[in-house]
Amino acid sequence: MNPIVKKSAIASAVVVLAAAGFVYWGLHSNTSNLPSDATAGKNPQLVEPDPQWIPSIKLAKPVGWAAGEAPKAAEGLTVSRFAEALDHPRTMLTLPNGDVLVAETNAPAANRPGGLTGVVMGLMFNRVGAGEPSPDRITLLRDADGDGRAEMKTTLRSADMRSPSGMAYRDGKLYIANHDRVLEFAFTPGQTSLEGKPLRTMMDLPAGGNHWMRNLLLSEDGKHLYVAVGSGSNIAENGMEAETGRAMIWEIDVATARRRQFAVGMRNPNGMGWNPSTGEMWAVVQERDMLGPDLVPDYLTNVPVGAQYGWPWVYWKDTFDQRVEWPMQTYMIEYTRKPEYAMGAHTAVLGMTFANGNRMGRGYENGVFVARHGSWNRRPAVGYDVVFVPFDANGNPGDVKPQPVLTGFLRDNGDARGRPTWLAWDKAGALLVSDDTAGIIWRVIAPGAQSSATVAPVVTEHLQPRKDIKDPNSPEEAARLLGGFREEDDRLLP
């Protein structure tokens, strides 16, 4: 054998053996003794961090659903197949005419790093059904006869689609987010194909990274488009410069395409929606890994403009991640926000949608449905379900654990029949759930249920404005501004 070829073969064997040892150690170390819901709810249990160089691994092999099999729906609900034989369906968008757009997609081809890390990632991705090339296609599903099953399945667009995910529509414009840019198209609901070039590129995005999905959400008045961009790494181990433009939600002015950072410090934001009670944006966020099987909880939270959620330096408002090497902004801990509600460590939250006029029956009138894609680095495995978080009349999550809506994706032997990914409402008010590894869209409904009442907006009294200042330089007006003016007798307080 040629000496060079021999050395190359030996080097390759060493890399493979090292990767195998890496995976073996991960598969047989660090099992949690806590129930999964211990790290969920308004007051999750935050254990002491257990930093890992090699992550714990629990890979659920995808085996699919046999004919006639389905997930288990909560009491009072039924589940059926809305569409199947799809290629890695992830995000969904229901159009005004009831057509459902589905992004058949996967990570970009050039997304995997080289060396030992790349080999290990390849082994893991292939094991969980995430290693296949991206289909790069937007598919249109149509249930014209209203029987709860899409009889039409056709490709809407594949040209210039590069790991597409986020979609939004309003006023004749369809927005699609590839992993590296947001595109705007002219589109009319009812079309079954999307022809021609994009009208414009709304925004170039940082490409790929560990978190390559880019969700979209339009403001309720249609003037702003929001883009969720996840981090490129776990805790910025490649440096903060490599995280420029990532781990945040961007706001784009639709008219001018000008943009600003809307909220930051969010490791991997995904599903977004508008709280019908308050009008606030809410989102689900995947938190960091390799601090042990019970840290850090993924979360559901409101997202006010200018919010900072701490990544990579801080989690859950005030707990420092000692692994991060890069200097933190001065006084950042003073304005870092605490998430509103924990969804459980490593559950991998993805899609979310608010309940508002649906046909899910009693108990599901007000709150949020969340798809938990399932862990890859926790033993025992968690997630692999769809859950409901009830909200109170003020638009806040209640002090309860996430309530199961759709389960049975994970078999007793550890294999996964599927992985719930994204959520949307069909035209009849049933919940649609994309199952990416199984290639199925599930439909969940309460038989016979009428549409629930829409959630009432919270109405509060506002402070009355102060009297106009006639002469801001007068002592009386200065005292008024300082709170020392008694309006009932127009005299300065002593």
Side-chain angles (χ1 to χ4, degrees), residues 255-302:
T256 65
R258 292 178 180 173
R259 57 262 192 185
R260 64 171 176 167
Q261 297 178 6
F262 185 80
V264 300
M266 309 170 84
R267 177 177 174 266
N268 188 23
N270 278 285
M272 299 183 290
W274 300 107
N275 187 326
S277 295
T278 63
E280 291 178 299
M281 179 193 293
W282 281 65
V284 289
V285 181
Q286 294 178 8
E287 255 292 355
R288 67 203 71 202
D289 295 323
M290 299 177 68
L291 284 177
D294 299 308
L295 281 180
V296 174
D298 295 346
Y299 59 86
L300 163 72
T301 193
N302 61 341

Side-chain angles (χ1 to χ4, degrees), residues 146-462:
D147 66 350
R149 187 173 178 88
E151 64 272 8
M152 174 186 283
K153 180 175 68 174
T154 186
T155 297
L156 183 79
R157 190 176 183 93
S158 59
D160 54 36
M161 295 291 98
R162 296 194 292 268
S163 296
S165 50
M167 297 177 286
Y169 171 81
R170 187 183 176 103
D171 298 335
K173 304 293 176 57
L174 177 65
Y175 303 92
I176 300 175
N178 286 328
H179 76 97
D180 58 355
R181 65 189 55 190
V182 180
L183 303 174
E184 179 189 69
F185 296 90
F187 178 74
T188 301
Q191 290 178 221
T192 56
S193 64
L194 186 59
E195 306 294 342
K197 295 182 178 180
L199 297 176
R200 56 178 170 166
T201 296
M202 298 292 292
M203 180 179 178
D204 289 321
L205 302 172
N210 284 7
H211 308 115
W212 55 271
M213 290 181 67
R214 310 286 185 247
N215 187 27
L216 298 179
L217 177 70
L218 276 166
S219 62
E220 294 184 309
D221 61 9
K223 293 181 179 180
H224 295 94
L225 180 66
Y226 298 88
V227 190
V229 180
S231 67
S233 63
N234 183 33
I235 51 166
E237 54 267 25
N238 300 318
M240 291 306 299
E241 185 175 346
E243 299 295 341
T244 301
R246 301 181 189 266
M248 64 181 64
I249 295 174
W250 287 89
E251 179 187 74
I252 305 175
D253 184 285
V254 170
T256 65
R258 292 178 180 173
R259 57 262 192 185
R260 64 171 176 167
Q261 297 178 6
F262 185 80
V264 300
M266 309 170 84
R267 177 177 174 266
N268 188 23
N270 278 285
M272 299 183 290
W274 300 107
N275 187 326
S277 295
T278 63
E280 291 178 299
M281 179 193 293
W282 281 65
V284 289
V285 181
Q286 294 178 8
E287 255 292 355
R288 67 203 71 202
D289 295 323
M290 299 177 68
L291 284 177
D294 299 308
L295 281 180
V296 174
D298 295 346
Y299 59 86
L300 163 72
T301 193
N302 61 341
V303 189
V305 61
Q308 163 66 264
Y309 281 93
W311 185 89
W313 300 278
V314 175
Y315 60 86
W316 220 254
K317 181 174 175 52
D318 56 7
T319 304
F320 286 92
D321 191 330
Q322 302 296 337
R323 302 170 299 171
V324 180
E325 301 176 359
W326 321 109
M328 186 178 72
Q329 299 172 20
T330 305
Y331 303 122
M332 195 189 86
I333 192 70
E334 296 184 9
Y335 55 85
T336 298
R337 290 180 63 85
K338 179 182 178 181
E340 292 294 317
Y341 189 91
M343 296 302 305
H346 308 298
T347 54
V349 289
L350 281 177
M352 63 157 278
T353 188
F354 277 94
N356 195 21
N358 63 75
R359 290 180 57 197
M360 298 292 283
R362 183 173 297 178
Y364 298 111
E365 298 90 349
N366 185 13
V368 178
F369 294 87
V370 178
R372 303 195 296 186
H373 199 228
S375 61
W376 61 268
N377 61 337
R378 185 188 190 275
R379 281 191 311 277
V382 289
Y384 297 92
D385 56 11
V386 177
V387 295
F388 180 68
V389 180
F391 274 34
D392 62 25
N394 292 320
N396 299 309
D399 191 13
V400 296
K401 301 296 185 181
Q403 300 177 1
V405 173
L406 208 59
T407 57
F409 291 86
L410 200 63
R411 296 175 60 176
D412 292 340
N413 66 356
D415 292 340
R417 296 183 178 95
R419 303 185 77 183
T421 307
W422 213 253
L423 305 175
W425 298 108
D426 76 358
K427 61 183 179 182
L431 183 67
L432 300 179
V433 181
S434 65
D435 183 341
D436 61 352
T437 59
I440 296 173
I441 307 296
W442 301 102
R443 183 177 188 265
V444 187
I445 195 169
Q450 300 299 310
S451 295
S452 62
T454 56
V455 176
V458 176
V459 178
T460 58
E461 294 184 1
H462 297 279

